[in-house]
Amino acid sequence: EEEDFEGALYAFDTYNTQEAKARGLETLYALGRNEEIYQRIEALAKSDPHNLRVAAFSSFITERAKVKITNHFCKNPLDYLHYANLSSHIADSNKFIGELIKELNSVQRTWQPPAQSVRNGFQTSGDLFQHFKPKIGVLKTFIRNEISTYFKKFKSKKSIFMDEWPNEINIIGWAVTQKKHGHHVWHIHQTGWLSGVIYLKVVPSLKTDEGAIQFGLSGPRYYDESSPKVTHKPMVGDMVLFPSMLHHRTLPFTSNTDRIIISFDAQRA
């Protein structure tokens, strides 16, 4: 933040954590030392292949520099987006969603929790699926079924992401209710494998992308306006699944209404 990138690089290199390794790459990018970036990514692909922050940066720099870089985890992550709707799992999905929202109203939540991506909104605390409420439990079953569909759809793609797909997964979830001007900043889910979001209430269509989810290769500390992006304007009941290492954000909305979602991570057990 102080733009002392040489000092920051020295500090990051004194730590042997996944985050420090990724921050080192980001700092080298700020310094314009691309050749060293390529060398480090090659080494990390062997020593730390499951580092999602490094995988995210690798996807960005591959596109940005237009060079072939080792990125065994998940090449072209924008090709791994999957869309579904709760209506494919339950006949009266609108009634189910209404009852689900009522259950969420009794779950403890925090306004704009620190170290999280949500802005101008509430987020539930802990794992949502630890609350033994009927509709929340049913929703977890729907999620597992759609994850199975996702795997069948993409299992032929060659990558660590698919080749080392977990035999057992834990699903961790949380709900977010955003108010006017609410949004999420660019982020990834570094503790997940596959992530997803379900839309229980969406903002009115204003023939704009307000309230839409946007996926891209840029991150909060490295950005290229020309880098490819995919924007999805959700409908009620939509479920979107994506690799946890893929950067995403929510575009701010100006409608005086609530936007309610449930997000989740499928983690290796």
Side-chain angles (χ1 to χ4, degrees):
E1 292 174 353
E2 296 175 359
E3 298 188 359
D4 176 12
F5 298 121
E6 292 288 358
L9 182 62
Y10 175 82
F12 288 134
D13 285 348
T14 63
Y15 291 87
N16 188 34
T17 66
Q18 287 195 325
E19 182 171 358
K21 293 171 186 175
R23 298 295 187 218
L25 293 173
E26 295 170 6
T27 308
L28 286 170
Y29 179 73
L31 290 166
R33 289 157 56 176
N34 282 13
E35 288 302 323
E36 190 170 348
I37 288 174
Y38 308 152
Q39 293 169 8
R40 290 197 182 198
I41 289 177
E42 289 285 345
L44 288 168
K46 299 175 182 177
S47 65
D48 196 8
H50 297 150
N51 190 326
L52 298 196
R53 291 185 185 275
V54 170
F57 180 81
S58 298
S59 295
F60 167 79
I61 198 66
T62 299
E63 172 65 29
R64 178 71 174 81
K66 305 298 183 184
V67 296
K68 186 177 180 179
I69 301 172
T70 299
N71 179 5
H72 295 303
F73 187 81
C74 183
K75 295 180 180 179
N76 306 317
L78 289 171
D79 294 341
Y80 289 80
L81 296 173
H82 172 74
Y83 306 96
N85 193 281
L86 289 180
S87 60
S88 64
H89 294 274
I90 188 169
D92 193 345
S93 58
N94 288 330
K95 178 182 178 182
F96 175 82
I97 289 171
E99 293 171 344
L100 181 58
I101 290 175
K102 289 180 181 179
E103 288 187 354
L104 293 177
N105 289 336
S106 63
V107 178
Q108 183 179 359
R109 56 186 188 168
T110 302
W111 175 258
Q112 202 165 292
Q116 299 296 322
S117 64
V118 62
R119 301 292 184 269
N120 219 52
F122 294 95
Q123 181 170 313
T124 57
S125 304
D127 176 17
L128 179 65
F129 298 115
Q130 292 299 314
H131 295 273
F132 299 104
K133 298 180 182 296
K135 296 300 181 292
I136 291 175
V138 171
L139 182 68
K140 189 174 183 178
T141 300
F142 293 164
I143 290 172
R144 285 195 176 275
N145 291 340
E146 201 61 45
I147 289 174
S148 296
T149 299
Y150 182 97
F151 175 71
K152 293 174 184 176
K153 179 178 180 179
F154 294 110
K155 65 180 181 179
S156 62
K157 286 183 172 288
K158 298 302 295 180
S159 63
I160 288 177
F161 177 57
M162 297 310 302
D163 292 344
E164 299 186 16
W165 189 267
N167 292 324
E168 295 185 15
I169 59 174
N170 292 325
I171 297 176
I172 309 298
W174 58 96
V176 176
T177 301
Q178 290 172 309
K179 303 295 183 178
K180 184 178 181 180
H181 303 303
H183 62 284
H184 286 83
V185 298
W186 285 112
H187 65 289
I188 67 170
H189 295 191
Q190 63 270 15
T191 61
W193 191 270
L194 177 73
S195 296
V197 58
I198 300 170
Y199 294 88
L200 306 184
K201 187 174 182 181
V202 300
V203 300
S205 176
L206 300 175
K207 296 184 179 180
T208 69
D209 288 332
E210 288 191 8
I213 187 170
Q214 188 172 76
F215 300 92
L217 304 183
S218 297
R221 295 177 179 83
Y222 49 93
Y223 190 81
D224 180 5
E225 182 59 38
S226 64
S227 184
K229 304 179 186 68
V230 173
T231 303
H232 176 68
K233 182 74 173 178
M235 299 176 60
V236 170
D238 274 1
M239 182 189 304
V240 186
L241 301 180
F242 52 93
S244 297
M245 50 74 66
L246 181 59
H247 275 104
H248 54 286
R249 66 174 177 171
T250 299
L251 301 179
F253 60 92
T254 56
S255 301
N256 190 21
T257 186
D258 287 352
R259 176 182 181 274
I260 305 175
I261 64 170
I262 290 177
S263 295
F264 59 89
D265 286 338
Q267 303 175 335
R268 290 186 295 172

